[in-house]
Amino acid sequence: MENFKMIAKTFFGFEEILAKELQVLGAQKVEQGVRMVSFVGDKGFMYKANLALRTALKILKPIYQFRATNEQSLYKGISAIDWSQHLNSNRTFVIDTTVHSDYFKHSQFVSQKSKDAIVDQFRSKTGARPSIDKDYPDLRINIHIDRDLVSVALDTSGSSLHQRGYRIATNIAPINEVLAAGMLLLSGWDGQGHFLDPMCGSGTILAEAAMIACNIPANLNRREFAFEKWNDWDNDLFDQIVDSLLKKVREFHYTIQGYDKAPSAVLKAKDNIRNANLDEYVSIAEKNFFDTEKTTQGPLHMVFNPPYGERLDIEMERFYKNIGDTLKQNYPNTNAWFITANIEALKFVGLRPSRKIKLYNGSLEARLVKYEMYEGSKRAKFAQPD
Protein backbone atom coordinates (compact mmCIF):
# COMPACT_ATOMS: atom_id res chain seq x y z
CA MET A 1 0.00 0.00 0.00
CA GLU A 2 1.27 3.46 -0.83
CA ASN A 3 1.96 6.09 1.79
CA PHE A 4 0.35 9.52 1.78
CA LYS A 5 0.23 12.64 3.93
CA MET A 6 -2.51 13.12 6.54
CA ILE A 7 -3.43 15.86 8.99
CA ALA A 8 -4.76 15.22 12.48
CA LYS A 9 -6.73 18.18 13.88
CA THR A 10 -6.72 18.80 17.62
CA PHE A 11 -7.33 21.40 20.35
CA PHE A 12 -4.88 24.20 21.21
CA GLY A 13 -2.29 22.88 23.67
CA PHE A 14 -2.52 19.22 22.59
CA GLU A 15 -0.21 19.36 19.56
CA GLU A 16 2.78 17.85 21.39
CA ILE A 17 0.89 14.95 22.98
CA LEU A 18 -0.89 14.20 19.69
CA ALA A 19 2.51 14.10 17.93
CA LYS A 20 3.74 11.70 20.60
CA GLU A 21 0.64 9.50 20.18
CA LEU A 22 1.28 9.37 16.42
CA GLN A 23 4.93 8.43 16.90
CA VAL A 24 4.03 5.62 19.31
CA LEU A 25 1.45 4.31 16.79
CA GLY A 26 4.14 4.22 14.10
CA ALA A 27 3.44 7.32 11.98
CA GLN A 28 6.20 8.68 9.73
CA LYS A 29 7.33 12.31 9.20
CA VAL A 30 5.37 13.65 12.20
CA GLU A 31 5.31 17.48 12.24
CA GLN A 32 3.49 19.74 14.70
CA GLY A 33 1.51 22.78 13.59
CA VAL A 34 -1.13 24.93 15.30
CA ARG A 35 -4.08 22.81 16.42
CA MET A 36 -2.85 20.11 14.02
CA VAL A 37 -0.14 17.55 13.42
CA SER A 38 0.79 16.28 9.94
CA PHE A 39 2.12 12.77 9.35
CA VAL A 40 2.59 10.10 6.71
CA GLY A 41 1.14 6.58 6.62
CA ASP A 42 -0.77 4.12 4.44
CA LYS A 43 -4.47 3.21 4.30
CA GLY A 44 -4.15 0.77 7.20
CA PHE A 45 -2.52 3.50 9.28
CA MET A 46 -5.39 5.87 8.39
CA TYR A 47 -7.80 3.30 9.89
CA LYS A 48 -5.52 2.86 12.91
CA ALA A 49 -5.19 6.61 13.54
CA ASN A 50 -8.98 7.05 13.57
CA LEU A 51 -9.45 4.10 15.91
CA ALA A 52 -6.63 4.69 18.35
CA LEU A 53 -5.75 8.41 18.65
CA ARG A 54 -7.13 9.92 21.86
CA THR A 55 -6.40 13.60 21.19
CA ALA A 56 -7.35 13.88 17.49
CA LEU A 57 -10.64 15.53 16.47
CA LYS A 58 -10.41 14.58 12.78
CA ILE A 59 -8.02 12.91 10.36
CA LEU A 60 -7.88 14.65 6.97
CA LYS A 61 -6.33 13.28 3.76
CA PRO A 62 -5.06 16.20 1.61
CA ILE A 63 -5.58 15.61 -2.13
CA TYR A 64 -4.82 18.95 -3.85
CA GLN A 65 -3.48 22.48 -3.32
CA PHE A 66 -3.73 25.51 -5.58
CA ARG A 67 -3.77 29.32 -5.43
CA ALA A 68 -6.94 31.35 -5.95
CA THR A 69 -7.78 35.02 -5.52
CA ASN A 70 -11.27 35.11 -7.02
CA GLU A 71 -14.35 33.09 -7.89
CA GLN A 72 -13.04 31.99 -11.32
CA SER A 73 -9.66 30.72 -10.07
CA LEU A 74 -11.40 28.88 -7.19
CA TYR A 75 -13.82 27.17 -9.62
CA LYS A 76 -10.95 26.29 -11.99
CA GLY A 77 -8.82 24.82 -9.17
CA ILE A 78 -11.63 22.61 -7.83
CA SER A 79 -12.44 21.52 -11.41
CA ALA A 80 -8.82 20.39 -11.90
CA ILE A 81 -9.39 17.50 -9.47
CA ASP A 82 -10.68 14.24 -10.97
CA TRP A 83 -13.67 13.80 -8.66
CA SER A 84 -14.65 10.45 -10.24
CA GLN A 85 -11.79 8.91 -8.19
CA HIS A 86 -13.69 9.76 -5.00
CA LEU A 87 -17.38 10.01 -5.97
CA ASN A 88 -20.01 8.53 -8.29
CA SER A 89 -22.88 10.54 -9.76
CA ASN A 90 -25.42 8.55 -7.72
CA ARG A 91 -23.70 9.30 -4.39
CA THR A 92 -23.81 12.24 -1.95
CA PHE A 93 -21.26 14.70 -0.59
CA VAL A 94 -20.90 17.76 1.61
CA ILE A 95 -18.22 20.46 1.82
CA ASP A 96 -16.86 21.94 5.09
CA THR A 97 -14.95 25.19 4.52
CA THR A 98 -12.78 27.41 6.71
CA VAL A 99 -11.40 30.70 5.35
CA HIS A 100 -8.65 33.02 6.61
CA SER A 101 -8.39 35.27 3.57
CA ASP A 102 -8.95 38.78 2.27
CA TYR A 103 -9.96 37.30 -1.10
CA PHE A 104 -12.74 35.10 0.25
CA LYS A 105 -14.84 36.41 3.12
CA HIS A 106 -17.59 33.78 3.43
CA SER A 107 -17.06 30.05 3.85
CA GLN A 108 -20.57 29.36 2.57
CA PHE A 109 -19.78 31.11 -0.73
CA VAL A 110 -16.62 28.97 -1.14
CA SER A 111 -18.59 25.79 -0.40
CA GLN A 112 -21.26 26.76 -2.94
CA LYS A 113 -18.76 27.57 -5.72
CA SER A 114 -16.79 24.37 -5.03
CA LYS A 115 -20.00 22.34 -5.11
CA ASP A 116 -20.85 23.89 -8.50
CA ALA A 117 -17.43 22.90 -9.89
CA ILE A 118 -17.81 19.28 -8.71
CA VAL A 119 -21.41 18.93 -9.93
CA ASP A 120 -20.63 20.52 -13.32
CA GLN A 121 -17.73 18.11 -13.84
CA PHE A 122 -20.01 15.08 -13.35
CA ARG A 123 -22.82 16.56 -15.40
CA SER A 124 -20.54 17.23 -18.37
CA LYS A 125 -19.00 13.72 -18.21
CA THR A 126 -22.00 11.54 -17.30
CA GLY A 127 -25.15 13.66 -17.66
CA ALA A 128 -25.93 12.91 -14.00
CA ARG A 129 -24.72 14.58 -10.79
CA PRO A 130 -24.08 13.66 -7.16
CA SER A 131 -26.26 15.47 -4.63
CA ILE A 132 -25.62 17.22 -1.32
CA ASP A 133 -26.42 15.47 1.97
CA LYS A 134 -25.44 17.53 5.01
CA ASP A 135 -26.24 14.83 7.57
CA TYR A 136 -25.09 11.48 6.16
CA PRO A 137 -22.93 12.15 3.08
CA ASP A 138 -20.96 9.42 1.31
CA LEU A 139 -18.02 11.83 1.04
CA ARG A 140 -17.09 14.75 3.29
CA ILE A 141 -14.76 17.26 1.62
CA ASN A 142 -12.70 19.75 3.62
CA ILE A 143 -11.57 23.05 2.05
CA HIS A 144 -9.20 25.36 3.92
CA ILE A 145 -8.19 28.76 2.50
CA ASP A 146 -5.23 30.61 4.00
CA ARG A 147 -4.81 33.94 2.15
CA ASP A 148 -4.64 32.70 -1.49
CA LEU A 149 -3.67 29.06 -0.79
CA VAL A 150 -6.57 26.62 -1.17
CA SER A 151 -6.08 23.18 0.42
CA VAL A 152 -8.55 20.43 -0.46
CA ALA A 153 -8.75 17.30 1.72
CA LEU A 154 -11.02 14.34 2.26
CA ASP A 155 -12.37 13.96 5.80
CA THR A 156 -11.56 10.36 6.78
CA SER A 157 -13.37 10.54 10.13
CA GLY A 158 -16.84 11.98 9.51
CA SER A 159 -18.32 13.35 12.71
CA SER A 160 -15.71 14.63 15.20
CA LEU A 161 -13.65 11.87 16.84
CA HIS A 162 -14.68 13.09 20.30
CA GLN A 163 -17.95 11.26 19.56
CA ARG A 164 -16.60 7.96 20.86
CA GLY A 165 -19.94 6.17 20.90
CA TYR A 166 -20.10 5.32 24.61
CA ARG A 167 -21.71 8.46 26.01
CA ILE A 168 -25.48 8.06 25.89
CA ALA A 169 -26.38 10.31 28.82
CA THR A 170 -24.98 13.76 29.64
CA ASN A 171 -25.33 16.43 32.31
CA ILE A 172 -25.57 20.22 32.09
CA ALA A 173 -21.91 20.84 31.28
CA PRO A 174 -20.28 17.63 29.96
CA ILE A 175 -16.60 17.74 29.08
CA ASN A 176 -15.54 16.89 25.52
CA GLU A 177 -13.98 13.40 25.33
CA VAL A 178 -10.87 14.59 23.45
CA LEU A 179 -10.38 17.38 25.99
CA ALA A 180 -10.71 14.82 28.83
CA ALA A 181 -8.18 12.45 27.21
CA GLY A 182 -5.74 15.30 26.53
CA MET A 183 -5.95 16.52 30.14
CA LEU A 184 -5.25 12.99 31.38
CA LEU A 185 -2.23 12.58 29.10
CA LEU A 186 -0.89 16.05 30.03
CA SER A 187 -1.28 15.09 33.70
CA GLY A 188 0.96 12.07 33.15
CA TRP A 189 -1.78 9.49 33.80
CA ASP A 190 -0.54 6.09 32.58
CA GLY A 191 -2.58 3.64 34.66
CA GLN A 192 0.25 2.86 37.07
CA GLY A 193 -1.62 3.79 40.25
CA HIS A 194 -5.02 4.61 41.77
CA PHE A 195 -7.24 7.22 40.11
CA LEU A 196 -10.07 9.46 41.34
CA ASP A 197 -12.40 11.94 39.64
CA PRO A 198 -14.18 13.52 42.63
CA MET A 199 -16.73 15.50 40.53
CA CYS A 200 -17.31 12.97 37.77
CA GLY A 201 -20.53 14.28 36.16
CA SER A 202 -21.48 11.90 33.36
CA GLY A 203 -18.24 9.92 33.70
CA THR A 204 -16.25 11.08 30.66
CA ILE A 205 -12.91 11.54 32.48
CA LEU A 206 -13.39 8.13 34.16
CA ALA A 207 -14.03 6.40 30.81
CA GLU A 208 -11.01 8.03 29.16
CA ALA A 209 -8.82 7.24 32.22
CA ALA A 210 -9.82 3.56 32.07
CA MET A 211 -9.15 3.33 28.33
CA ILE A 212 -5.70 4.90 28.78
CA ALA A 213 -4.93 2.59 31.73
CA CYS A 214 -5.84 -0.53 29.73
CA ASN A 215 -4.58 0.76 26.36
CA ILE A 216 -8.07 0.30 24.85
CA PRO A 217 -8.44 2.12 21.48
CA ALA A 218 -10.28 5.42 22.04
CA ASN A 219 -12.84 4.92 19.26
CA LEU A 220 -13.49 1.21 19.60
CA ASN A 221 -17.16 1.90 20.50
CA ARG A 222 -17.74 4.32 17.63
CA ARG A 223 -20.45 3.31 15.16
CA GLU A 224 -18.82 4.49 11.93
CA PHE A 225 -16.05 6.41 10.22
CA ALA A 226 -16.34 8.36 6.96
CA PHE A 227 -13.81 6.12 5.18
CA GLU A 228 -16.24 3.17 5.43
CA LYS A 229 -18.23 4.75 2.56
CA TRP A 230 -15.23 5.33 0.31
CA ASN A 231 -14.68 3.53 -3.01
CA ASP A 232 -11.53 1.83 -1.68
CA TRP A 233 -12.99 0.74 1.70
CA ASP A 234 -11.27 -2.50 2.84
CA ASN A 235 -13.31 -4.26 5.51
CA ASP A 236 -10.78 -7.10 5.97
CA LEU A 237 -7.91 -4.66 6.49
CA PHE A 238 -10.00 -2.70 9.02
CA ASP A 239 -10.78 -5.90 10.99
CA GLN A 240 -7.07 -6.77 10.93
CA ILE A 241 -6.19 -3.33 12.37
CA VAL A 242 -8.85 -3.69 15.12
CA ASP A 243 -7.46 -7.14 16.04
CA SER A 244 -3.87 -5.87 16.19
CA LEU A 245 -4.91 -2.97 18.47
CA LEU A 246 -6.93 -5.28 20.76
CA LYS A 247 -3.87 -7.52 21.20
CA LYS A 248 -2.14 -4.55 22.86
CA VAL A 249 -4.84 -4.09 25.54
CA ARG A 250 -3.22 -4.53 28.97
CA GLU A 251 -4.22 -5.57 32.50
CA PHE A 252 -4.99 -2.91 35.12
CA HIS A 253 -4.25 -3.65 38.79
CA TYR A 254 -5.41 -0.48 40.59
CA THR A 255 -8.71 1.33 41.18
CA ILE A 256 -10.52 4.01 39.18
CA GLN A 257 -13.15 5.78 41.27
CA GLY A 258 -15.64 8.52 40.59
CA TYR A 259 -17.77 10.62 42.98
CA ASP A 260 -20.62 13.00 42.34
CA LYS A 261 -23.05 14.50 44.83
CA ALA A 262 -25.95 14.50 42.32
CA PRO A 263 -27.81 11.15 42.18
CA SER A 264 -28.82 11.84 38.53
CA ALA A 265 -25.15 12.32 37.55
CA VAL A 266 -24.14 9.06 39.25
CA LEU A 267 -26.83 7.14 37.31
CA LYS A 268 -25.76 8.71 33.99
CA ALA A 269 -22.07 8.05 34.68
CA LYS A 270 -22.79 4.40 35.51
CA ASP A 271 -24.81 4.03 32.27
CA ASN A 272 -22.00 5.52 30.18
CA ILE A 273 -19.30 3.40 31.83
CA ARG A 274 -21.42 0.28 31.30
CA ASN A 275 -22.03 1.30 27.69
CA ALA A 276 -18.25 1.58 27.17
CA ASN A 277 -17.77 -1.92 28.68
CA LEU A 278 -15.53 -0.42 31.35
CA ASP A 279 -17.57 -1.24 34.48
CA GLU A 280 -15.06 -3.89 35.64
CA TYR A 281 -12.45 -1.11 36.02
CA VAL A 282 -14.52 1.83 37.28
CA SER A 283 -16.61 2.29 40.43
CA ILE A 284 -18.86 5.32 40.98
CA ALA A 285 -20.45 6.50 44.23
CA GLU A 286 -22.80 9.28 45.27
CA LYS A 287 -20.56 11.46 47.48
CA ASN A 288 -19.83 15.12 48.05
CA PHE A 289 -16.06 15.49 47.51
CA PHE A 290 -15.85 17.96 50.38
CA ASP A 291 -16.99 15.22 52.81
CA THR A 292 -14.52 12.60 51.57
CA GLU A 293 -10.98 11.52 52.32
CA LYS A 294 -8.39 9.39 50.56
CA THR A 295 -9.28 5.70 50.79
CA THR A 296 -6.36 4.10 48.88
CA GLN A 297 -2.78 3.34 49.90
CA GLY A 298 0.14 4.83 47.96
CA PRO A 299 0.06 7.70 45.48
CA LEU A 300 -3.31 8.88 44.13
CA HIS A 301 -3.81 10.51 40.72
CA MET A 302 -6.78 12.90 40.60
CA VAL A 303 -8.18 14.70 37.54
CA PHE A 304 -11.48 16.59 37.50
CA ASN A 305 -13.57 19.29 35.88
CA PRO A 306 -15.20 21.44 38.61
CA PRO A 307 -18.06 23.82 37.77
CA TYR A 308 -16.96 27.27 36.56
CA GLY A 309 -20.14 29.17 37.40
CA GLU A 310 -20.89 29.47 33.67
CA ARG A 311 -23.82 27.07 33.56
CA LEU A 312 -24.02 25.88 37.16
CA ASP A 313 -24.92 28.32 39.90
CA ILE A 314 -22.34 28.02 42.73
CA GLU A 315 -20.78 30.36 45.26
CA MET A 316 -17.41 30.53 43.58
CA GLU A 317 -15.17 31.82 46.36
CA ARG A 318 -16.34 29.29 48.95
CA PHE A 319 -16.44 26.44 46.41
CA TYR A 320 -12.81 26.84 45.31
CA LYS A 321 -11.66 27.38 48.91
CA ASN A 322 -13.35 24.05 49.78
CA ILE A 323 -11.44 22.33 46.97
CA GLY A 324 -8.13 23.56 48.45
CA ASP A 325 -9.10 22.71 52.05
CA THR A 326 -10.28 19.18 51.12
CA LEU A 327 -7.10 18.44 49.18
CA LYS A 328 -4.90 19.84 51.96
CA GLN A 329 -6.60 18.10 54.87
CA ASN A 330 -7.87 14.79 53.40
CA TYR A 331 -5.74 13.84 50.40
CA PRO A 332 -2.06 13.30 51.28
CA ASN A 333 0.25 11.77 48.65
CA THR A 334 -2.01 12.98 45.82
CA ASN A 335 -1.34 14.69 42.52
CA ALA A 336 -4.54 16.68 41.89
CA TRP A 337 -5.22 18.20 38.48
CA PHE A 338 -8.28 20.16 37.44
CA ILE A 339 -9.36 22.45 34.62
CA THR A 340 -11.17 25.74 35.10
CA ALA A 341 -12.20 28.62 32.86
CA ASN A 342 -12.74 30.72 35.98
CA ILE A 343 -9.09 31.74 36.27
CA GLU A 344 -9.95 34.33 38.94
CA ALA A 345 -11.36 31.57 41.19
CA LEU A 346 -7.95 29.86 41.42
CA LYS A 347 -6.91 32.54 43.93
CA PHE A 348 -9.36 31.07 46.44
CA VAL A 349 -7.92 27.52 46.37
CA GLY A 350 -5.30 28.66 48.88
CA LEU A 351 -2.59 26.42 47.38
CA ARG A 352 0.14 27.22 44.90
CA PRO A 353 -0.16 25.18 41.69
CA SER A 354 3.06 23.46 40.56
CA ARG A 355 1.90 23.51 36.91
CA LYS A 356 -0.45 25.74 34.90
CA ILE A 357 -1.25 24.83 31.29
CA LYS A 358 -3.32 27.06 29.00
CA LEU A 359 -6.15 25.19 27.22
CA TYR A 360 -9.59 25.97 25.85
CA ASN A 361 -12.84 24.38 26.99
CA GLY A 362 -15.03 25.10 23.99
CA SER A 363 -14.58 28.83 23.37
CA LEU A 364 -13.55 29.50 26.98
CA GLU A 365 -9.89 30.07 27.79
CA ALA A 366 -9.03 27.76 30.67
CA ARG A 367 -6.14 26.55 32.83
CA LEU A 368 -5.25 22.98 33.66
CA VAL A 369 -3.61 23.24 37.08
CA LYS A 370 -1.68 20.76 39.21
CA TYR A 371 -1.53 20.69 43.02
CA GLU A 372 0.91 18.32 44.71
CA MET A 373 -0.26 17.06 48.09
CA TYR A 374 2.63 15.52 50.03
CA GLU A 375 2.57 12.81 52.70
CA GLY A 376 3.12 14.89 55.84
CA SER A 377 4.48 18.37 55.19
CA LYS A 378 6.33 19.45 52.07
CA ARG A 379 9.17 20.66 54.28
CA ALA A 380 9.52 17.19 55.82
CA LYS A 381 9.58 15.58 52.38
CA PHE A 382 12.50 17.68 51.22
CA ALA A 383 14.34 17.87 54.56
CA GLN A 384 17.87 16.46 54.44
CA PRO A 385 18.58 13.73 57.02
CA ASP A 386 21.23 14.65 59.63
Side-chain angles (χ1 to χ4, degrees), residues 265-322:
V266 170
L267 288 173
K268 285 172 186 171
K270 285 181 173 177
D271 281 349
N272 291 334
I273 293 297
R274 198 176 304 116
N275 201 44
N277 299 308
L278 296 169
D279 37 349
E280 65 178 290
Y281 308 112
V282 179
S283 63
I284 300 164
E286 187 188 321
K287 289 183 183 182
N288 183 339
F289 172 52
F290 303 145
D291 300 329
T292 66
E293 57 185 33
K294 186 168 175 246
T295 58
T296 51
Q297 296 299 309
L300 176 65
H301 198 96
M302 187 188 287
V303 180
F304 60 111
N305 174 36
Y308 308 157
E310 280 286 314
R311 287 181 265 184
L312 296 167
D313 190 24
I314 54 170
E315 199 184 318
M316 202 53 59
E317 189 172 333
R318 191 200 304 172
F319 186 84
Y320 277 79
K321 182 183 182 300
N322 284 345

Side-chain angles (χ1 to χ4, degrees), residues 87-382:
L87 261 177
N88 305 330
S89 54
N90 60 350
R91 307 199 81 191
T92 61
F93 71 102
V94 73
I95 299 172
D96 300 319
T97 302
T98 51
V99 293
H100 306 285
S101 171
D102 291 334
Y103 303 109
F104 302 97
K105 303 287 189 197
H106 302 291
S107 57
Q108 212 169 342
F109 171 79
V110 173
S111 296
Q112 185 63 41
K113 274 286 135 203
S114 302
K115 181 213 78 166
D116 291 347
I118 295 168
V119 164
D120 291 350
Q121 186 184 100
F122 275 95
R123 210 187 264 123
S124 69
K125 284 182 181 175
T126 67
R129 52 152 286 184
S131 52
I132 294 289
D133 183 339
K134 289 181 179 173
D135 299 319
Y136 303 105
D138 295 314
L139 187 72
R140 191 173 276 275
I141 300 160
N142 186 282
I143 295 177
H144 182 270
I145 303 183
D146 181 13
R147 287 161 292 209
D148 67 339
L149 185 65
V150 183
S151 303
V152 184
L154 305 183
D155 183 340
T156 79
S157 308
S159 59
S160 169
L161 291 174
H162 82 274
Q163 294 174 14
R164 310 281 205 222
Y166 63 76
R167 193 161 76 179
I168 44 177
T170 61
N171 290 319
I172 298 169
I175 193 165
N176 176 295
E177 291 86 336
V178 165
L179 180 57
M183 283 164 48
L184 286 158
L185 293 172
L186 283 173
S187 79
W189 170 245
D190 59 2
Q192 300 304 300
H194 297 292
F195 183 89
L196 173 65
D197 177 352
M199 299 179 189
C200 72
S202 55
T204 306
I205 291 174
L206 296 171
E208 297 296 324
M211 288 195 289
I212 291 169
C214 303
N215 203 31
I216 294 167
N219 288 302
L220 189 64
N221 292 292
R222 191 178 158 100
R223 284 223 305 278
E224 66 171 12
F225 299 95
F227 54 67
E228 292 178 52
K229 292 181 175 179
W230 289 10
N231 296 341
D232 67 349
W233 161 239
D234 188 335
N235 202 106
D236 292 340
L237 176 61
F238 182 78
D239 288 345
Q240 223 176 302
I241 299 292
V242 171
D243 288 344
S244 75
L245 287 168
L246 288 177
K247 280 181 186 142
K248 293 176 180 152
V249 171
R250 57 181 176 236
E251 300 260 307
F252 176 64
H253 302 289
Y254 299 91
T255 59
I256 295 175
Q257 292 179 288
Y259 302 152
D260 205 284
K261 67 175 189 176
S264 61
V266 170
L267 288 173
K268 285 172 186 171
K270 285 181 173 177
D271 281 349
N272 291 334
I273 293 297
R274 198 176 304 116
N275 201 44
N277 299 308
L278 296 169
D279 37 349
E280 65 178 290
Y281 308 112
V282 179
S283 63
I284 300 164
E286 187 188 321
K287 289 183 183 182
N288 183 339
F289 172 52
F290 303 145
D291 300 329
T292 66
E293 57 185 33
K294 186 168 175 246
T295 58
T296 51
Q297 296 299 309
L300 176 65
H301 198 96
M302 187 188 287
V303 180
F304 60 111
N305 174 36
Y308 308 157
E310 280 286 314
R311 287 181 265 184
L312 296 167
D313 190 24
I314 54 170
E315 199 184 318
M316 202 53 59
E317 189 172 333
R318 191 200 304 172
F319 186 84
Y320 277 79
K321 182 183 182 300
N322 284 345
I323 289 177
D325 289 348
T326 306
L327 289 173
K328 206 162 25 187
Q329 291 155 21
N330 300 348
Y331 283 87
N333 200 5
T334 296
N335 278 334
W337 294 76
F338 68 81
I339 188 170
T340 183
N342 194 326
I343 296 159
E344 198 60 21
L346 289 173
K347 292 192 300 204
F348 306 120
V349 175
L351 298 164
R352 188 188 292 264
S354 58
R355 293 273 315 270
K356 257 190 199 181
I357 301 169
K358 180 180 169 182
L359 298 174
Y360 285 86
N361 189 350
S363 60
L364 300 170
E365 187 179 316
R367 293 292 181 275
L368 177 65
V369 289
K370 178 187 186 184
Y371 296 98
E372 295 178 54
M373 301 295 111
Y374 297 95
E375 193 87 69
S377 74
K378 186 172 179 179
R379 190 177 297 145
K381 181 177 174 73
F382 291 107

